Amino acid sequence: MAMYLRRAVSSQSLIGLIRGIWSREVIQARSFSQGLVFSRDFICSHFTGTKEAPTLPTNFGFLKESHRGFAKGKRSRDDSGGGTVEVAPDIGPAVKSGAASQMDAAIDALSRELTKLRTGRASPGMLDHIIVETGGVKMPLNRLAVVSVMDPKTLSVNPYDPNTLKELEKAIVSSPLGLNPRAEGERLIAAIPPLTKEHMQALCKVVTKSSEDVKQSIRRARQKALDTIKKAGSSVPKDDANRLEKEIDELTKKFVKSAEGMCKAKEKEITQG
């Protein structure tokens, strides 16, 4: 019966119930849906075994602890009814952050791919993807030399170690860029030949494919975010879920537009030199 009373009556109402026993003959426990009624003699005999007044403890902390023991999960106060309600987890920031990170990685990958494509204009980054083998170790060219632009049609390759000059020259010649650098002291000079019409068309096709690939990656990130929202189900309010979906769509449009802009700029660079 004691356990039943603790669960049915909150700590404050139980304390008030005991204190009010001596001023009223009959006490009605309004907390009970059945409208149970307790008499003074019943409560006294239950708590003390006699009809004597029970000694009330000065510290009612034990009642609070018992009340807390029934809490499950994260709760907040319900102002409308005075009870407690479950608080839905806010998954919005994590979902948006994850989607943005994946989309940003796709844009970075596109940027690296476009940099590899040779145009009729000299660019220091166009040699970054070339792998050089020296001393039995393969390394990116940009870790072995500094590449700079001498003029719109000429690159200068300055190795950190002059002894690697031959390896650098061999790697550049072997690349698909069609460059034939010449040694000039302790550096290499690479002239950028003009692109033929056929070469321009082939490069534009590569750019178009790269654009489609990155947009697919961005859309996959979008779908993954929407799936996460859907799996959350009823734990996320419908209005919040709809708002979050719209924010993911806006994010997707932003990154797709960025990818399209990068590819259009590269095509222009290829066709106009």
Side-chain angles (χ1 to χ4, degrees), residues 4-6 14 16 25 41 59 90 126-127 150 154 159 170 184 203 228 249 255 264:
Y4 183 78
L5 284 172
R6 287 179 182 175
L14 180 58
E25 181 64 24
D41 291 342
N59 182 6
D90 186 6
M126 65 190 302
L127 305 182
M150 296 181 65
T154 311
K170 180 181 178 181
E184 187 179 275
L203 287 175
T228 301
D249 285 340
F255 278 95
K264 286 180 180 179

Side-chain angles (χ1 to χ4, degrees), residues 7 15 49 54 71 93 98 115 118 133 155 179 186 193 203 220 238 244:
R7 292 188 178 181
I15 295 168
T115 302
R118 180 176 78 82
E133 183 173 357
L155 288 175
L179 303 180
E186 295 184 346
L203 287 175
R220 281 195 296 269
K238 186 176 181 180
L244 187 54

Side-chain angles (χ1 to χ4, degrees), residues 149-160:
V149 177
M150 296 181 65
D151 59 59
K153 299 292 182 179
T154 311
L155 288 175
S156 173
V157 182
N158 299 272
Y160 297 121

Side-chain angles (χ1 to χ4, degrees), residues 4-17 27-38 67:
Y4 183 78
L5 284 172
R6 287 179 182 175
R7 292 188 178 181
V9 185
S10 67
S11 58
Q12 292 182 355
S13 62
L14 180 58
I15 295 168
L17 179 65
I27 290 137
Q28 182 174 3
R30 295 183 180 179
S31 300
F32 298 103
S33 59
Q34 293 85 354
L36 297 180
V37 177
F38 299 97
H67 180 69

Side-chain angles (χ1 to χ4, degrees), residues 69-124:
F70 293 98
K72 294 184 179 180
K74 187 177 180 182
R75 295 173 178 266
S76 65
R77 179 68 60 182
D78 182 3
D79 295 333
S80 61
T84 57
V85 295
E86 294 292 338
V87 178
D90 186 6
I91 65 172
V95 171
K96 288 189 291 185
S97 176
S101 178
Q102 294 175 44
M103 294 177 186
D104 195 45
I107 292 294
D108 287 343
L110 175 64
S111 179
R112 291 193 296 270
E113 289 300 317
L114 295 181
T115 302
K116 296 177 183 179
L117 302 178
R118 180 176 78 82
T119 64
R121 182 177 300 176
S123 170

Side-chain angles (χ1 to χ4, degrees), residues 220-257:
R220 281 195 296 269
R222 170 187 175 274
Q223 189 59 51
K224 184 177 180 180
L226 296 182
D227 289 343
T228 301
I229 299 171
K230 185 177 180 180
K231 289 178 181 178
S234 60
S235 64
V236 178
K238 186 176 181 180
D239 291 342
D240 291 347
N242 291 337
R243 174 184 54 77
L244 187 54
E245 288 177 359
K246 289 181 180 179
E247 291 177 356
I248 294 298
D249 285 340
E250 290 299 321
L251 195 65
T252 302
K253 292 177 183 178
K254 173 186 173 182
F255 278 95
V256 167
K257 185 177 180 179

Side-chain angles (χ1 to χ4, degrees), residues 254-273:
K254 173 186 173 182
F255 278 95
V256 167
K257 185 177 180 179
S258 177
E260 291 175 344
M262 292 170 62
C263 291
K264 286 180 180 179
K266 192 64 177 182
E267 288 179 351
K268 184 178 180 179
E269 184 181 346
I270 291 170
T271 56
Q272 297 182 6

Side-chain angles (χ1 to χ4, degrees), residues 164-186:
T164 61
L165 197 65
K166 289 293 183 181
E167 288 86 349
L168 289 168
E169 181 180 2
K170 180 181 178 181
I172 294 173
V173 171
S174 301
S175 73
L177 296 175
L179 303 180
N180 291 291
R182 70 178 189 277
E184 187 179 275
E186 295 184 346

